[in-house]
């Protein structure tokens, strides 16, 4: 058995193998983090070895909490594990649910706690090649335009976050500036 994550089975939250949760489309907990620096967002391109959505661009980091792990602890852990980022303490922004086909007969059926981490000053990045093949900072409005022009290059959840939840994730500063 692999990594156990919190998933709902017959209405009860129980530990379930992560791969099984995706194969069966079980509703499960997840965590997503966006690191922002001014108007720029740090995005990552998922490693080709990922079992779903390899090579697609996603938010700064996203994962599933371990069975007995809080969402905030998970956010800090995955920033470190995926990108080598320490010293950032993301703030909780929103809980959302989404359902998306992620290919290979797998489904993301997630209840996601989304966090925003403001970067002020230098940020040391050391991406884990098993998780991340590329990273880049991109302006918020440039990201929206790129997702619209090349949707096939982005994960389903990033598109959902940007199209349906941007106001609650990013707040008025990025939204108003992007619409100006």
């Amino acid at each position: 058995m692999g990594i156990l994550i919190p998933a709902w089975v017959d209405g009860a939250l129980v530990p379930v193998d992560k791969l099984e949760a995706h194969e069966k489309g079980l509703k499960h907990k997840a965590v997503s983090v966006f690191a922002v620096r001014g108007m720029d967002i740090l995005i990552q391109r998922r490693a080709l070895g990922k079992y779903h959505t390899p090579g697609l661009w996603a938010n700064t980091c996203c994962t599933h909490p371990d069975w007995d792990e809080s969402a905030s602890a998970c956010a800090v852990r995955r920033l470190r594990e995926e990108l080598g980022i320490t010293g950032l303490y993301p703030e909780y922004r929103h809980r959302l649910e989404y359902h998306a086909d992620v290919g290979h007969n797998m489904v993301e059926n997630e209840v996601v706690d989304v966090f925003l981490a403001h970067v002020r000053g230098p940020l040391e990045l050391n991406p884990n090649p098993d998780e991340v093949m590329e990273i880049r900072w991109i302006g918020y409005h440039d990201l929206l335009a790129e997702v619209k022009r090349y949707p096939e290059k982005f994960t389903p959840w990033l598109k959902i976050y940007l199209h349906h939840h941007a106001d609650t994730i990013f707040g008025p500063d990025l939204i108003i500036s992007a619409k100006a």
Side-chain angles (χ1 to χ4, degrees):
M1 185 163 275
I3 297 169
L4 297 179
I5 64 170
W8 284 269
V9 177
D10 297 327
L13 193 60
V14 298
V16 173
D17 179 77
K18 180 173 73 166
L19 186 58
E20 178 185 353
H22 292 114
E23 290 171 338
K24 292 183 176 178
L26 299 175
K27 184 181 285 190
H28 56 277
K29 289 188 177 185
V31 170
S32 278
V33 181
F34 285 88
V36 297
R37 182 173 55 201
M39 291 289 296
D40 295 335
I41 299 171
L42 180 63
I43 61 174
Q44 67 155 284
R45 189 167 173 217
R46 292 168 57 83
L48 293 178
K50 301 293 277 182
Y51 68 89
H52 74 66
T53 59
L56 296 184
W57 287 97
N59 51 298
T60 307
C61 74
C62 43
T63 192
H64 305 89
D66 293 335
W67 166 245
D68 59 352
E69 183 179 38
S70 73
S72 58
C74 177
V76 170
R77 174 178 61 84
R78 288 307 285 180
L79 281 170
R80 183 184 70 249
E81 291 175 352
E82 290 186 31
L83 298 162
I85 295 173
T86 59
L88 276 186
Y89 299 95
E91 66 177 273
Y92 174 81
R93 297 299 293 204
H94 188 51
R95 175 172 280 170
L96 60 94
E97 292 188 33
Y98 78 89
H99 188 275
D101 181 343
V102 291
H104 304 290
N105 296 315
M106 287 189 239
V107 172
E108 287 282 23
N109 184 3
E110 296 193 333
V111 177
V112 187
D113 288 315
V114 182
F115 292 82
L116 191 67
H118 289 280
V119 177
R120 295 173 177 89
L123 182 66
E124 186 176 326
L125 297 165
N126 185 20
N128 177 344
D130 294 332
E131 300 285 343
V132 179
M133 65 185 295
E134 189 176 351
I135 56 172
R136 64 184 165 124
W137 289 96
I138 185 170
Y140 176 74
H141 61 281
D142 293 329
L143 178 59
L144 293 176
E146 197 170 311
V147 168
K148 186 174 183 178
R149 187 165 185 190
Y150 305 106
E152 70 282 358
K153 293 184 178 187
F154 296 89
T155 60
W157 59 89
L158 180 60
K159 292 183 280 192
I160 290 168
Y161 297 163
L162 293 173
H163 293 302
H164 302 290
H165 304 281
D167 55 343
T168 50
I169 293 171
F170 300 110
D173 295 340
L174 284 177
I175 305 301
I176 290 169
S177 297
K179 290 180 179 177

